[in-house]
Amino acid sequence: MTGALRLQGVSLSLVGRNLFQRLDLVAEPGQTVTVMGPSGCGKSSLLAYICGTLDRAFVATGSVLIGDSDVTGLPPERRGIGIIFQDDLLFPHLSVAENLAFGLPASLRGRKARLGRIEAALADAGLSGFGDRDPATLSGGQRARVALLRTLLSEPRALLLDEPFAKLDIGLRTRIRAFVFDHVRDYGLPALLVTHDPADAEAAAGQVITLAPAGNDDPEEAAAWTPTSPSPVRLP
Amino acid sequence: MAEALQPLGRDAPKAGFPARGLLGWVPALTLATFLLPICVGLLGTWLPAFGYLPAIGGAAFSLEPWRALFASPGFERMLALTITSGFLSTAIAFCLTIWFVAACHETRLFAALRRLMTPLLAVPHVAVAIGLAFLLAPSGFFFRLAAPWLTGSEIPPDLAILPDPYGLALALGLVVKEVPFLLLITIGALDQVGAKQRLATARGLGYGPIAAWMKTVLPAVYPQIRLPVYAVLAYALSVVDMAMVLGPGTPPTLAVQILRWFNDPDLSMRFAASAGACLQLGLVVLGIALWHGFECIAIHQARAASFAGRRGGSGKVQARAAGLAMAVVVALGLGGIAVMAVWSVARRWRFPDAWPSAWSLETWSRHLDGVAISGWTTLGLGLAAAGLAVALTLGCLESEQRVGRRPTHRALWLLYLPLLVPQIAFLFGAQVLAFRLGWAGTWAAVVWSHLLFTLPYAFLALADPYRALDERLLRTARCLGASPARVFWRIKLPLLLRPVLISFAVAFSVSVAQYLPTLFIGAGRVATLTTEAVALSSGADRRVLGVYTFLQAALPLAIFALAIGLPGRLRPFGPAREAGK
């Protein structure tokens, strides 16, 4: 069991343009907080800031905590924050099992033990026997599940979801959503979801935060923007 | 070219894309431009290698040239020298490049050193070699700095450093010159393989920066840079100009010895030289096959090792070490040329003074006439060869877009052919043909010989930006009623102004660096800064050499500066500005 994912007073700006200021949020273990907002408001930059891969061009202040530990100054690999993108980003030069082995910690030693763990994870996702497959031969839904498994096998302390369902067919989306949020609950992971789609937020069944359009100097467009979420938390 | 484009706009039959107009023949013409001379040149070298060249008395086929080649004094040493310097330099340049990118990709130093790579890439090989030779020689710059307090002597030490018998100085020179090429190619490939997201994924799974890069980015990048790596290996195994400056003399590397035989007053030596040229080609083919073998083993091993999931450390120490190594490479390359520029304005610079004790512009004024002739020749050849290369490249790319066909991977191999086939392996045959046609020593023939090498580089520099143009912009223009020709001139060219100029500058610098083609096809009658610098490098006055080296480096740098500076002045906004940041 891990602690809550906590953002404290996070501000982000790019060449003098404020993306957002003093954002606070808490995702409890097993819960998913959803961040919504128009394109360009800095949703993806926020996720990059949390995992530590933000471009140098940004100026960021604030802190990221998991439980009681402050991970703000740590390099990405030592934060223990897994991220799932819109594109599943399975490594095309590796087989499905090798992709999963890539996520599995090195502390689990021995080829046999590692393969066993991978087979168990595949079976859990209804993908038994898929280990030797080339990721390119998998369907969109299968790839999405493998990508989540890979992240879960790396034993993260928190999970970030960057519009993970956007590229899936509508029919598939409901099933994969359930798959992801069930695992978030089962593993007791604090999760942060970034999305355009109100249905995603509904499925996540957690708090919803809406970011205002950032530094927009066209007052008409800024006024035309209305939050889409049912219970928006407007930020200054 | 306007004429070539006009008819297409009018009789566009299928969905606005004509099947074939004048423009449609440009790719074929371009391929013929460099395939024909290479094929004919290879044949014209193979025949004398087997004793057949009636013009100098070889009327019947025989294996005599090969016997003469194998029996030549120091043959085994030449071969060993060629193979060690070639493989050593390529392996070091490749490993250093990969190590640097893997370890430093997120440091500030990376951006700084990357910016210095373009000038280092632009300066000719010979200029780098001459600069390096002065830095390293027993009477050179480093020993001047160290004497007498460190070496304890007022006279240059008696060391066989340059040239050294093992070709290590040559290997170092090749590393200095090839690293910028490999680095820029690697950086160019990073965006295509989505390196950022791969890294973010791997880092999120707990991998350190170096392990993440090596395990997830390298496997995707390597296929993209494989051909350039082969080209570097082929070059290193067959280089002539750098080997004449930095390599040992007795015996020299195989390629240098072949050139000596080709230039021998005894005409019968041309046969052994041709056999050597064939052997040189075989050596390169074998070398690439060997490298490919290593590649397969390494990929297999790395994949097996990746299964264990070891995360690697923070890589901070390695980042420092790799950054330092790369900084040394850049400093050796650019520093050597800077010190040669100092030589050109020195009146007296005795050993062991660190700097000249008297300065003067006398060397410049005394040699201005000679320098001006070869300088104008270099500029003229460069502008012509680069202009033609860019025009043909634009024709090929435009034709490709209108016909809607992407070239296959095999076509890319064809494009790389002039960079993979050793120059010495086909230039003799091409020279024989040029003499027969009465073209040898003419400007047109020399421009053509440069075009073989400027074309591939111009294409490589321009193809990606051209194909990456937002297709919706072009479709919008067509739907607004613009003909394909109008779209080309009014939309594409302005948008691509910067890449077009950069591609021109790259092609120009390639032309300036050409030594063997100018020598062979110019039949000794066309003198460029590069051929003069090589001729002067063996023992002439360092001050004169300084003048030539400086100009040789300054010309391509000036063209690069124009290519980078002009678009911002011509266009107040748009991608030209954006790309400059």
Side-chain angles (χ1 to χ4, degrees):
Chain A
M1 202 65 170
T2 157
L5 171 68
R6 212 179 288 270
L7 302 188
Q8 289 178 346
V10 176
S11 306
L12 224 59
S13 62
L14 181 61
V15 280
R17 201 172 71 111
N18 280 328
L19 290 172
F20 49 78
Q21 284 183 333
R22 304 208 55 76
L23 175 67
D24 295 300
L25 70 79
V26 183
E28 295 293 342
Q31 284 187 2
T32 304
V33 172
T34 305
V35 174
M36 300 191 71
S39 330
C41 75
K43 296 191 302 278
S44 290
S45 307
L46 173 66
L47 293 192
Y49 168 73
I50 298 172
C51 29
T53 55
L54 190 65
D55 196 282
R56 278 179 194 284
F58 287 90
V59 179
T61 53
S63 44
V64 182
L65 288 87
I66 300 176
D68 294 327
S69 63
D70 187 338
V71 301
T72 321
L74 293 180
E77 68 272 15
R78 298 200 28 223
R79 296 189 177 202
I81 300 177
I83 183 162
I84 306 272
F85 293 102
Q86 187 178 103
D87 297 298
D88 48 67
L89 294 174
L90 295 179
F91 299 121
H93 64 290
L94 301 177
S95 69
V96 168
E98 283 169 331
N99 261 288
L100 294 178
F102 194 86
L104 208 55
S107 52
L108 180 61
R109 283 172 186 275
R111 200 177 166 83
K112 226 175 158 185
R114 293 177 73 82
L115 266 178
R117 181 83 184 78
I118 289 164
E119 250 324 304
L122 282 172
D124 159 62
L127 292 169
S128 283
F130 274 67
D132 289 334
R133 293 273 289 267
D134 175 353
T137 64
L138 266 52
S139 72
Q142 290 167 338
R143 292 173 63 98
R145 277 179 281 166
V146 174
L148 181 72
L149 288 181
R150 185 175 66 180
T151 302
L152 293 176
L153 283 178
S154 75
E155 298 171 7
R157 296 189 288 166
L159 191 61
L160 304 180
L161 304 161
D162 190 355
E163 306 204 34
F165 316 115
K167 285 208 172 155
L168 298 174
D169 294 335
I170 303 273
L172 203 55
R173 220 177 271 179
T174 326
R175 297 218 318 266
I176 299 297
R177 268 194 206 117
F179 182 78
V180 169
F181 294 127
D182 286 350
H183 276 81
V184 167
R185 265 190 298 279
D186 293 350
Y187 279 70
L189 287 173
L192 189 63
L193 168 72
V194 150
T195 183
H196 271 115
D197 186 350
D200 285 350
E202 212 170 296
Q207 187 193 5
V208 177
I209 289 175
T210 304
L211 294 180
N216 201 327
D217 47 13
D218 179 355
E220 209 167 306
E221 195 181 315
W225 163 253
T226 45
T228 50
S229 74
S231 56
V233 180
R234 267 289 210 175
L235 290 155
Chain B
M1 205 155 161
E3 292 79 4
L5 295 174
Q6 269 314 317
L8 294 173
R10 273 182 231 126
D11 56 19
K14 283 177 226 148
F17 293 111
R20 188 155 247 194
L22 260 177
L23 191 66
W25 292 100
V26 173
L29 176 74
T30 307
L31 276 182
T33 301
F34 63 82
L35 286 187
L36 224 57
I38 291 177
C39 293
V40 173
L42 282 174
L43 193 67
T45 311
W46 291 344
L47 289 177
F50 292 93
Y52 184 81
L53 186 59
I56 56 168
F61 287 99
S62 81
L63 288 176
E64 191 47 45
W66 291 90
R67 260 176 243 130
L69 172 70
F70 294 138
S72 59
F75 176 72
E76 288 86 6
R77 278 209 43 74
M78 280 193 289
L79 221 51
L81 195 62
T82 305
I83 293 168
T84 48
S85 60
F87 267 96
L88 196 65
S89 62
T90 310
I92 292 175
F94 174 74
C95 293
L96 180 59
T97 305
I98 295 302
W99 187 41
F100 175 69
V101 182
C104 299
H105 60 266
E106 54 183 18
T107 64
R108 269 168 235 277
L109 186 70
F110 187 76
L113 283 177
R114 175 188 177 170
R115 241 169 273 138
L116 285 174
M117 287 299 159
T118 312
L120 189 49
L121 184 71
V123 296
H125 291 79
V126 174
V128 169
I130 290 171
L132 196 62
F134 175 60
L135 290 181
L136 297 178
S139 64
F141 189 65
F142 290 151
F143 279 101
R144 285 169 198 241
L145 290 180
W149 56 274
L150 198 64
T151 57
S153 168
E154 291 275 338
I155 55 166
D158 186 21
L159 295 171
I161 299 177
L162 205 120
D164 67 302
Y166 307 105
L168 296 180
L170 170 60
L172 180 64
L174 284 164
V175 168
V176 169
K177 198 61 186 84
E178 298 306 357
V179 157
F181 174 62
L182 288 176
L183 186 64
L184 290 174
I185 290 268
T186 306
I187 290 172
L190 289 182
D191 280 341
Q192 289 176 21
V193 301
K196 263 192 183 158
Q197 286 190 305
R198 281 170 187 261
L199 280 174
T201 309
R203 297 293 292 276
L205 294 171
Y207 283 79
I210 300 180
W213 203 92
M214 296 298 266
K215 290 181 179 188
T216 69
V217 180
L218 184 59
V221 160
Y222 190 74
Q224 308 266 332
I225 63 169
R226 177 183 279 133
L227 271 174
V229 170
Y230 290 171
V232 166
L233 180 65
Y235 182 84
L237 282 169
S238 62
V239 62
V240 170
D241 48 10
M242 278 190 120
M244 287 173 77
V245 179
L246 291 170
T250 44
T253 59
L254 182 62
V256 172
Q257 184 59 53
I258 295 169
L259 179 64
R260 283 188 195 164
W261 284 331
F262 273 131
N263 286 336
D264 202 292
D266 177 3
L267 288 182
S268 66
M269 292 309 285
R270 305 279 191 284
F271 293 107
S274 301
C278 288
L279 181 67
Q280 181 73 64
L281 179 65
L283 213 57
V284 166
V285 171
L286 211 66
I288 290 175
L290 206 63
W291 186 279
H292 185 70
F294 283 134
E295 206 175 280
C296 294
I297 297 171
I299 289 170
H300 185 79
Q301 295 290 329
R303 206 171 151 163
S306 132
F307 199 81
R310 273 186 290 276
R311 273 11 187 202
S314 73
K316 291 216 169 88
V317 178
Q318 284 203 54
R320 292 240 173 88
L324 182 71
M326 194 53 94
V328 167
V329 164
V330 173
L332 284 176
L334 295 178
I337 291 171
V339 177
M340 285 317 286
V342 171
W343 259 118
S344 75
V345 289
R347 186 176 12 220
R348 204 171 52 243
W349 190 356
R350 291 212 188 98
F351 194 89
D353 297 345
W355 294 105
S357 51
W359 306 81
S360 99
L361 287 173
E362 201 194 308
T363 320
W364 279 91
S365 58
R366 205 150 28 93
H367 292 271
L368 202 58
D369 290 340
V371 170
I373 293 173
S374 49
W376 285 116
T377 308
T378 308
L379 186 68
L381 287 174
L383 292 179
L388 279 172
V390 171
L392 283 172
T393 298
L394 281 171
C396 283
L397 289 167
E398 180 64 9
S399 156
E400 163 193 315
Q401 268 188 3
R402 289 195 199 174
V403 179
R405 243 197 332 233
R406 285 289 292 260
T408 57
H409 191 71
R410 226 172 266 155
L412 203 61
W413 270 91
L414 281 183
L415 189 68
Y416 262 98
L417 203 64
L419 313 184
L420 293 171
V421 177
Q423 294 187 342
I424 196 98
F426 71 88
L427 277 173
F428 177 64
Q431 187 192 38
V432 170
L433 181 74
F435 268 114
R436 282 224 146 169
L437 299 171
W439 294 352
T442 63
W443 260 65
V446 177
V447 168
W448 191 352
S449 75
H450 284 202
L451 193 57
L452 303 188
F453 307 98
T454 56
L455 244 178
Y457 284 105
F459 199 94
L460 291 174
L462 195 49
D464 286 334
Y466 204 92
R467 290 173 182 152
L469 257 190
D470 191 346
E471 209 231 331
R472 290 168 307 171
L473 277 177
L474 310 176
R475 237 182 300 154
T476 309
R478 289 301 301 280
C479 294
L480 290 169
S483 68
R486 195 174 146 81
V487 172
F488 177 80
W489 290 106
R490 297 294 304 277
I491 311 283
K492 287 186 192 175
L493 272 193
L495 281 175
L496 289 167
L497 186 60
R498 182 179 290 272
V500 166
L501 289 178
I502 295 275
S503 142
F504 180 86
V506 168
F508 181 83
S509 71
V510 168
S511 165
V512 173
Q514 293 309 315
Y515 173 66
L516 278 187
T518 318
L519 202 65
F520 271 88
I521 307 302
R525 295 202 285 272
V526 179
T528 63
L529 292 171
T530 296
T531 59
E532 295 289 282
V534 174
L536 288 168
S537 69
S538 52
D541 189 344
R542 270 186 181 141
R543 285 166 292 196
V544 186
L545 196 53
V547 169
Y548 279 91
T549 309
F550 171 75
L551 272 183
Q552 216 196 349
L555 260 188
L557 286 179
I559 298 283
F560 257 97
L562 280 178
I564 292 168
L566 264 186
R569 296 198 171 270
L570 295 178
R571 297 160 43 76
F573 51 83
R577 264 286 159 86
E578 224 169 84
K581 62 182 182 192

